[in-house]
Amino acid sequence: MNKVLLGSESKRSDWILLVAFSIVVLLGPYILAPFGAGYPDLLQRFAIFGIFAIGFNILLGLTGYLSFGHAAFLGVGSYTAVWSFKLLSMNPILALFFAMLLAGVFAVAIGYICLRRAGIYFAILTLAFAQMSYNLAYSVLTPITNGETGLQLSQQDPRAIDALFGRDYGAALPVSDLFGIEMTGYPGFYFCGVILIIAFYISIRIFRSPFGMKLRAIKSNQNRLNYVGINTKPYMLVAFVISGMYAGLAGGLMAVTDPLAGAERMQWTASGEVVLMTILGGAGTLLGPVLGAGIIKYFENIFSAFNEALLMETFSFLPAGLQETLVAVLSLFVGKGWHLTLGIVFMLIVIFLPGGLMEGFRRLVNLFTRPPDQGKSERAPAAQAQPAE
Amino acid sequence: MTKKTLSRRTVLKAGAGTTAFALAGSGPFHFIRDAWAQDYRNAPTGSTVTLGFNVPQTGPYADEGADELRALKLAAKHLNGEGDGGMLNTFVYKNGEKTALDGNGINGKKVEFVTGDTQTKSDAARASAKRMIEADGVVMVTGGSSSGVAVAVQGLCQEMGVIFMSGLTHSNDTTGKDKRRNGFRHFFNSYMSGAALGPVLANAYGTDRVAYHLTADYNWGYTTEESVKQFTEAQGWETAAAVRTPLGAGDFSQYITPVLNSDADVLVLNHYGKDMVNSLTQAVQFGLLDKQVNGKQFQVVVPLYSRLMAQGAGDAVKGIYGSTNWHWSLDDEGSKAFVKSFGQEYGFPPSQAAHTCYVQALLYADACQRAGTFRPCAVVEELEDFEFDGLGNGPTLYRGADHQCFKDVLVVKGKENPESEFDVLEVVEVTPVEKVTYDPEIFGGQLGPCNDGV
């Protein structure tokens, strides 16, 4: 098992990792129920943002390029999917296909321009593109995006393909359905979950492929690669497009489980969020981004929901004075203060575990399975995985 | 390390694996089976009923959100018979009969609530509302600030089959083109603001004015600009220009300079929140109010006022006209009762956001009490074309055709000599409801059928 967690590159450990991952994902509703997170909407969000972060990790973790504009692709995917619902059919497969396609086209255009620069200049360029996309969606392109209100389905939509097959959704607004299975609640989660597993598998294949090695080489020393005669540009562009399509897929899935697309999905804070997810979990590791996505979404949805009344109830076994003091202190960190807690967690992880949560796991595993003197030498390669770029 | 990325064998294996997962994925359908046991979503089974208070706790409208939450907590308290009862004592029906609410919860069930943070983003707001519906089992969601959020959450509540009682949302769309059968709005809208302001402005400033609009570049800004234009032009005003400004611009000086060079003599600021505070303060600093154009004193108008914003703008609001849904200085019985119990609880007067959320909670509770159930379709039926009084705005109609409340609209002016930090606005005219009522067809949209969620 430790080999699996340490990211050992044998075929067998990859399969174990994939199977274990699949089991955890598919049993998600049972595993997360004790933490208050076992309800469909949050589970869907875990899966969707997991996909987003896995894709982002191919660019940040593997290639070492920090993009601050990936939310733009998420937004493009969402808008495309909703338009596919409106114009063609409520089938999610069709919507996801177009979402990935259009996000890919966007990624080619943006990547082609942004990848002319590296480091902070690349980050700023992508940020600028994302902010432009946000403003376009928020006001300029209102006829396409419906501005601030967000793009919604309506009873008057043509839905050409559905109409062709004589599908009628009645007077109520339709929900997306996969050949008769409605994509809400648990079926919606399992649809996202299966796609997450496929996305995870593809990411393993990319990590282990010669293409993945080239991306790693780009991260470690691009000059050297150029000197030995390798043109790195096409590889970087492909990595950028792949991660953009992952983002488009995630955006499309958001629209599948909840057919509405809003502009704030493309805001720069949303781009920053996926960076945080990847770094929190461990950039460059297979599992890390998914873990990071889970933690951030958990804080956003569960910690923000705690209020003083709830805390009072929780600590009702304490004497009154102590109870009130404790609640007064704790309420700073929950409810509207959830950002504070998230900030502290992020700070602690970056300071003490620069490689993210996965480095924590690695240290734990080393602690229990290696003799102490060997453990020290094992830490050196772990430290290399820092996402300093 | 493997040499080949994909062999035929791996592809086959992957295919087999995927199929297995897909099959496994279709297994857990037993999860949704239980939903069919109830005849509507989240039917409360125990001795309590849970309501969802979904307000912005972080982000640009956090001030309004905090005030909404205070009011909603107060409403829950009053419904459970704690405190002094607030507007429960003044709430009457059309025939003068007192409300069916008796301080014993709703339908004999104690009111509990869960809270969430909308962050003023439709995604976050929907996620939070979904948590309330799926995990906490709420029968009603209320709150919100910003029309985009309100429309998004209203759509969600329609799809999931719970009632949405919107809080602060002023765009025409909420009960216009995006209206839904399960959603209701007590707050007024841009159209009513325009209809109320038009005649008052013509009275105060004359009928031969030229207006220059600065408009927040999003949906709410557009509808407000459109309505104010429509009604001022009907009074004989001209519109020199309407310029869109980015949301959250912070600095509006580049937009205000051209106003000085145009022949306009009125500036209309279709801004809200911090934007309004900034643009108004800058307009005053630029000396617009001291200017003479075409032999007339230059004026500034703010179509949607809120006390929280007026406080933020400080001295700049003095003498400036605008409209508001409700103000704490009103002296009808309902307003007095609400201001008193809110003041006792929190030590300052409530804002209009707090008022509208409190009223929405009471209206929902009352409809459930009269229906004798929490079933959404039954509640919808009770609220449609419901007439009531004593909730601070005079006699009010919940119009069935679009779920919009119709009541008198207040035209207010920044007070010249405020007596306290909260005493910043004075009511100059109460525009009667007949003058702001419109045909429900003009904004398009359809209510659709109501949804019980099963």
Side-chain angles (χ1 to χ4, degrees), chain A residues 24 29 34 47 57 75 93 114 117 128 133 160 162 190 204 227 234 260 267 282 347 358 369 376 389:
Chain A
V24 172
N57 188 37
I93 308 258
C114 295
R117 292 285 173 272
S133 314
D162 282 356
Y190 279 100
I204 296 182
Y227 287 142
L260 172 129
Q267 226 170 351
M347 222 168 66
M358 290 311 285
T369 55
K376 266 179 199 154
E389 297 89 340

Short mmCIF file of all heavy atoms in Angstrom, two decimals, chain A residues 24 29 34 47 57 75 93 114 117 128 133 160 162 190 204 227 234 260 267 282 347 358 369 376 389:
data_model
loop_
_atom_site.label_atom_id
_atom_site.label_comp_id
_atom_site.label_asym_id
_atom_site.label_seq_id
_atom_site.Cartn_x
_atom_site.Cartn_y
_atom_site.Cartn_z
N VAL A 24 -13.48 4.20 -3.20
CA VAL A 24 -13.76 5.35 -2.33
C VAL A 24 -14.79 6.27 -2.97
O VAL A 24 -15.74 6.72 -2.33
CB VAL A 24 -12.46 6.12 -2.02
CG1 VAL A 24 -12.76 7.42 -1.30
CG2 VAL A 24 -11.54 5.25 -1.18
N PRO A 29 -21.06 8.30 -0.70
CA PRO A 29 -22.22 8.65 0.12
C PRO A 29 -22.18 8.02 1.52
O PRO A 29 -22.61 8.65 2.48
CB PRO A 29 -23.40 8.10 -0.68
CG PRO A 29 -22.92 8.04 -2.07
CD PRO A 29 -21.45 7.77 -2.00
N PRO A 34 -21.00 10.48 7.84
CA PRO A 34 -20.74 10.91 9.23
C PRO A 34 -20.20 12.33 9.33
O PRO A 34 -20.27 12.93 10.39
CB PRO A 34 -19.70 9.90 9.73
CG PRO A 34 -19.75 8.77 8.78
CD PRO A 34 -20.21 9.31 7.48
N ALA A 47 -16.85 15.64 -6.87
CA ALA A 47 -16.43 14.96 -8.10
C ALA A 47 -16.06 15.96 -9.17
O ALA A 47 -15.02 15.84 -9.83
CB ALA A 47 -17.54 14.04 -8.58
N ASN A 57 -3.79 20.02 -12.55
CA ASN A 57 -2.53 19.45 -12.08
C ASN A 57 -1.63 19.04 -13.23
O ASN A 57 -0.41 19.05 -13.11
CB ASN A 57 -2.87 18.24 -11.20
CG ASN A 57 -1.66 17.68 -10.50
OD1 ASN A 57 -0.79 18.44 -10.09
ND2 ASN A 57 -1.60 16.39 -10.40
N GLY A 75 -16.13 28.10 -17.28
CA GLY A 75 -17.29 28.88 -17.68
C GLY A 75 -17.71 28.56 -19.11
O GLY A 75 -18.89 28.35 -19.39
N ILE A 93 -24.48 13.56 -22.50
CA ILE A 93 -23.32 13.15 -23.30
C ILE A 93 -23.04 14.18 -24.39
O ILE A 93 -21.91 14.63 -24.57
CB ILE A 93 -23.59 11.78 -23.97
CG1 ILE A 93 -24.04 10.77 -22.93
CG2 ILE A 93 -22.38 11.33 -24.78
CD1 ILE A 93 -23.04 9.79 -22.47
N CYS A 114 -0.54 32.75 -24.64
CA CYS A 114 0.04 32.87 -23.29
C CYS A 114 1.35 32.10 -23.16
O CYS A 114 2.24 32.51 -22.42
CB CYS A 114 -0.94 32.37 -22.24
SG CYS A 114 -2.41 33.37 -22.13
N ARG A 117 5.21 33.21 -23.03
CA ARG A 117 5.91 33.69 -21.84
C ARG A 117 5.84 32.61 -20.77
O ARG A 117 4.96 31.75 -20.81
CB ARG A 117 5.25 34.96 -21.32
CG ARG A 117 5.40 36.15 -22.24
CD ARG A 117 6.81 36.71 -22.17
NE ARG A 117 7.02 37.76 -23.16
CZ ARG A 117 7.43 37.54 -24.41
NH1 ARG A 117 7.67 36.30 -24.83
NH2 ARG A 117 7.61 38.54 -25.25
N ALA A 128 -5.40 37.69 -17.28
CA ALA A 128 -6.02 38.74 -18.09
C ALA A 128 -7.08 38.15 -19.01
O ALA A 128 -8.18 38.69 -19.14
CB ALA A 128 -4.94 39.46 -18.91
N SER A 133 -12.81 37.25 -20.28
CA SER A 133 -13.93 36.34 -20.50
C SER A 133 -15.05 36.62 -19.50
O SER A 133 -16.23 36.62 -19.85
CB SER A 133 -13.50 34.89 -20.34
OG SER A 133 -12.31 34.66 -21.00
N ALA A 160 -34.02 20.83 -30.43
CA ALA A 160 -34.32 20.25 -31.75
C ALA A 160 -34.28 18.73 -31.76
O ALA A 160 -35.20 18.08 -32.27
CB ALA A 160 -33.35 20.82 -32.77
N ASP A 162 -34.42 16.52 -29.25
CA ASP A 162 -35.49 15.95 -28.42
C ASP A 162 -36.82 16.03 -29.15
O ASP A 162 -37.62 15.09 -29.12
CB ASP A 162 -35.59 16.70 -27.09
CG ASP A 162 -34.51 16.27 -26.12
OD1 ASP A 162 -33.76 15.34 -26.47
OD2 ASP A 162 -34.42 16.85 -25.03
N TYR A 190 -23.47 9.72 -9.27
CA TYR A 190 -22.77 8.55 -9.81
C TYR A 190 -22.30 8.78 -11.23
O TYR A 190 -21.24 8.28 -11.64
CB TYR A 190 -23.62 7.29 -9.66
CG TYR A 190 -23.50 6.75 -8.26
CD1 TYR A 190 -24.47 6.99 -7.30
CD2 TYR A 190 -22.34 6.09 -7.88
CE1 TYR A 190 -24.31 6.55 -6.00
CE2 TYR A 190 -22.17 5.65 -6.59
CZ TYR A 190 -23.16 5.89 -5.65
OH TYR A 190 -22.96 5.47 -4.37
N ILE A 204 -3.54 9.19 -14.81
CA ILE A 204 -2.47 8.24 -14.49
C ILE A 204 -1.71 7.90 -15.77
O ILE A 204 -0.47 7.91 -15.79
CB ILE A 204 -3.03 6.93 -13.89
CG1 ILE A 204 -3.72 7.19 -12.57
CG2 ILE A 204 -1.91 5.90 -13.69
CD1 ILE A 204 -4.27 5.93 -11.92
N TYR A 227 18.24 22.98 -25.80
CA TYR A 227 19.60 22.79 -26.30
C TYR A 227 19.78 21.42 -26.95
O TYR A 227 20.56 21.28 -27.86
CB TYR A 227 20.63 22.98 -25.18
CG TYR A 227 20.79 24.43 -24.79
CD1 TYR A 227 20.98 24.82 -23.47
CD2 TYR A 227 20.76 25.42 -25.78
CE1 TYR A 227 21.12 26.15 -23.15
CE2 TYR A 227 20.89 26.75 -25.45
CZ TYR A 227 21.07 27.12 -24.13
OH TYR A 227 21.21 28.43 -23.81
N PRO A 234 5.06 22.73 -28.58
CA PRO A 234 3.88 21.89 -28.86
C PRO A 234 3.47 21.06 -27.64
O PRO A 234 2.26 20.89 -27.39
CB PRO A 234 4.35 20.97 -29.99
CG PRO A 234 5.53 21.61 -30.57
CD PRO A 234 6.15 22.44 -29.51
N LEU A 260 -27.73 25.58 -15.14
CA LEU A 260 -27.66 27.04 -15.07
C LEU A 260 -26.20 27.43 -15.15
O LEU A 260 -25.35 26.74 -14.60
CB LEU A 260 -28.25 27.52 -13.75
CG LEU A 260 -28.09 29.00 -13.45
CD1 LEU A 260 -29.42 29.59 -13.07
CD2 LEU A 260 -27.10 29.25 -12.32
N GLN A 267 -14.88 34.09 -12.68
CA GLN A 267 -14.16 35.16 -11.98
C GLN A 267 -12.76 34.70 -11.60
O GLN A 267 -12.52 33.50 -11.44
CB GLN A 267 -14.93 35.53 -10.72
CG GLN A 267 -15.08 37.01 -10.54
CD GLN A 267 -16.04 37.33 -9.42
OE1 GLN A 267 -16.71 36.45 -8.90
NE2 GLN A 267 -16.11 38.58 -9.06
N GLY A 282 -1.40 18.79 -3.00
CA GLY A 282 -0.08 18.36 -3.41
C GLY A 282 0.03 18.40 -4.92
O GLY A 282 -0.44 17.47 -5.58
N MET A 347 -2.39 27.95 5.37
CA MET A 347 -1.11 28.43 5.88
C MET A 347 -0.31 27.31 6.53
O MET A 347 0.86 27.11 6.24
CB MET A 347 -1.40 29.50 6.92
CG MET A 347 -0.52 30.70 6.86
SD MET A 347 -1.22 31.97 7.91
CE MET A 347 -1.06 31.25 9.52
N MET A 358 -0.40 15.36 0.42
CA MET A 358 0.22 14.10 0.00
C MET A 358 1.60 13.95 0.63
O MET A 358 2.04 12.84 0.91
CB MET A 358 0.32 14.02 -1.52
CG MET A 358 -1.01 13.86 -2.21
SD MET A 358 -2.01 12.54 -1.50
CE MET A 358 -1.17 11.11 -2.14
N THR A 369 6.99 2.69 8.19
CA THR A 369 7.47 1.54 7.43
C THR A 369 8.98 1.51 7.24
O THR A 369 9.53 0.49 6.87
CB THR A 369 6.83 1.49 6.03
OG1 THR A 369 7.07 2.74 5.41
CG2 THR A 369 5.34 1.24 6.13
N LYS A 376 15.29 9.41 6.62
CA LYS A 376 15.82 10.75 6.34
C LYS A 376 16.19 10.89 4.87
O LYS A 376 15.87 11.87 4.23
CB LYS A 376 17.05 11.00 7.21
CG LYS A 376 16.66 11.72 8.48
CD LYS A 376 17.87 11.96 9.35
CE LYS A 376 17.42 12.24 10.77
NZ LYS A 376 18.45 11.88 11.74
N GLU A 389 7.29 26.84 -8.93
CA GLU A 389 7.08 27.68 -10.12
C GLU A 389 5.70 28.27 -10.08
O GLU A 389 5.28 28.94 -10.92
CB GLU A 389 7.25 26.86 -11.39
CG GLU A 389 8.61 26.29 -11.59
CD GLU A 389 8.73 24.93 -10.95
OE1 GLU A 389 7.93 24.58 -10.06
OE2 GLU A 389 9.64 24.20 -11.32
#
